[in-house]
């Protein structure tokens, strides 16, 4: 199974033409990849905009519709999670009304998805984040459970930021792969978290215009037990004339 991981889209409603141009360039590069890297599922790990407003989700929606057309996938093969920029801040607990409306319009799953016998789960780590405390990632007690063996977890914050950390480790002790965003690395940052491989993807819209941006493709074999995983990076550093490069790196499980 090939998982397309797209994170931190950050829809720019003040310059939508350039934003859509960049997305179209990425899709063109995606269409040119070898056929064995054609995605089977799409994972979206939050931050669709900056302020959680309807116009940002509408622009992101236009991009995801183009992605569906290019990959021949739909909301039924897509799962998403909230980012810290996707909520309406309400003090002790955030509301995600516009985000939920966006998912409903797109038919995107927000809790769990099973593709080719592999279970993918989504976790909201942003219930208590604020603009001043964007790293305040909390695992709420009612979500403290243990995921099934060899499952995949997506969430916006990387797992090492989650509080309480022991509960996070218990939740993913049987998990094989964790996909997240938020930190905007220059290339996918892959590390071990418990028995799982944790992959923090490059942002589609990075914090700095000079940074690399794009998406990731992960080859996740359903033949178990898993020993290695391949992460393909489709990234570029140019905003004006994107020249995407695709490279693959193999990582080993513990």
């Amino acid at each position: 199974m090939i998982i397309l991981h797209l994170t931190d889209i950050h829809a720019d409603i003040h310059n939508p033409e350039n934003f859509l141009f960049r997305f179209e360039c990425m899709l063109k590069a995606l269409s040119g990849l070898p056929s064995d890297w054609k995605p089977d599922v799409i994972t979206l790990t939050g931050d669709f905009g900056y302020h959680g407003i309807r116009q940002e989700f509408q622009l992101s929606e236009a991009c995801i519709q183009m992605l569906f057309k290019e990959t021949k996938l739909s909301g039924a093969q897509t799962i998403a999670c909230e980012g810290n920029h996707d909520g309406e801040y309400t003090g002790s607990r955030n509301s995600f009304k516009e985000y939920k409306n966006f998912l409903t319009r797109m038919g995107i799953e927000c809790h769990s998805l099973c593709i080719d016998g592999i279970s993918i789960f989504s976790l909201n780590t942003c219930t208590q984040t604020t603009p001043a405390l964007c790293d305040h990632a909390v695992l709420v007690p009612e979500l403290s459970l243990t995921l099934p063996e060899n499952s995949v977890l997506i969430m916006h914050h990387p797992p090492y930021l989650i509080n309480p950390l022991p509960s996070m480790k218990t939740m993913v002790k049987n998990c094989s792969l964790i996909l997240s965003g938020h930190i905007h690395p220059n290339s996918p940052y892959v590390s071990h978290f418990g028995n799982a491989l944790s992959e923090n993807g490059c942002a589609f819209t990075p914090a700095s215009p000079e940074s690399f941006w794009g998406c990731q493709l992960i080859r996740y074999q359903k033949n178990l037990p898993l020993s290695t995983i391949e992460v393909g990076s489709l990234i570029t550093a140019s905003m004006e004339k994107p020249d995407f490069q695709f490279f693959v790196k193999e990582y080993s499980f513990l």
Side-chain angles (χ1 to χ4, degrees):
M1 182 173 73
I2 303 296
I3 303 171
L4 191 155
H5 179 204
L6 180 60
T7 190
D8 295 87
I9 294 175
H10 289 296
D12 184 1
I13 60 174
H14 302 293
N15 193 1
E17 294 83 4
N18 179 262
F19 180 80
L20 289 170
F21 166 75
R22 291 198 300 113
F23 204 90
E24 289 168 351
C25 288
M26 186 183 72
L27 292 183
K28 183 177 180 180
L30 184 65
S31 70
L33 294 181
S35 59
D36 61 339
W37 282 98
K38 176 180 170 58
D40 302 294
V41 62
I42 298 169
T43 58
L44 307 170
T45 51
D47 277 4
F48 293 92
Y50 292 95
H51 305 291
I53 60 176
R54 182 175 303 177
Q55 293 92 329
E56 292 173 339
F57 286 111
Q58 288 173 335
L59 185 53
S60 284
E61 183 175 340
C63 291
I64 302 305
Q65 291 286 13
M66 290 191 294
L67 179 60
F68 286 168
K69 183 177 180 180
E70 176 59 46
T71 60
K72 295 181 173 58
L73 299 175
S74 69
Q77 294 89 36
T78 304
I79 187 168
C81 66
E82 302 86 337
N84 57 290
H85 284 278
D86 296 327
E88 304 91 46
Y89 299 111
T90 57
S92 62
R93 193 172 180 87
N94 289 334
S95 168
F96 294 91
K97 178 182 176 182
E98 293 297 340
Y99 166 79
K100 292 175 182 176
N101 290 339
F102 158 72
L103 294 189
T104 299
R105 291 194 303 270
M106 301 291 289
I108 293 174
E109 296 296 328
C110 61
H111 298 297
S112 64
L113 186 65
C114 186
I115 301 289
D116 289 341
I118 295 174
S119 296
I120 306 174
F121 296 89
S122 170
L123 178 64
N124 181 358
T125 62
C126 304
T127 57
Q128 297 178 35
T129 56
T130 68
L133 297 171
C134 65
D135 289 341
H136 188 49
V138 175
L139 183 67
V140 295
E142 59 264 29
L143 293 178
S144 297
L145 48 84
T146 301
L147 296 177
E149 189 174 359
N150 298 311
S151 57
V152 177
L153 175 66
I154 72 164
M155 55 188 184
H156 184 63
H157 293 93
Y160 60 81
L161 287 180
I162 308 302
N163 180 46
L165 196 58
S167 296
M168 186 73 233
K169 290 181 176 179
T170 298
M171 173 181 279
V172 300
K173 68 179 181 180
N174 298 323
C175 195
S176 295
L177 178 64
I178 304 169
L179 303 178
S180 59
H182 184 64
I183 62 174
H184 294 220
N186 242 356
S187 61
Y189 175 65
V190 180
S191 60
H192 290 95
F193 186 82
N195 296 321
L197 279 177
S198 173
E199 185 262 347
N200 297 108
C202 289
F204 174 78
T205 300
S208 169
E210 295 80 27
S211 296
F212 285 91
W213 58 276
C215 65
Q216 290 68 230
L217 293 139
I218 299 105
R219 188 185 303 280
Y220 188 91
Q221 303 288 357
K222 67 178 180 179
N223 297 321
L224 305 176
L226 296 169
S227 58
T228 62
I229 200 166
E230 290 179 290
V231 178
S233 305
L234 185 65
I235 56 176
T236 179
S238 173
M239 290 285 188
E240 301 301 324
K241 296 181 180 179
D243 180 20
F244 282 90
Q245 304 295 317
F246 183 64
F247 58 92
V248 179
K249 189 171 181 180
E250 189 175 272
Y251 298 90
S252 298
F253 290 91
L254 289 174

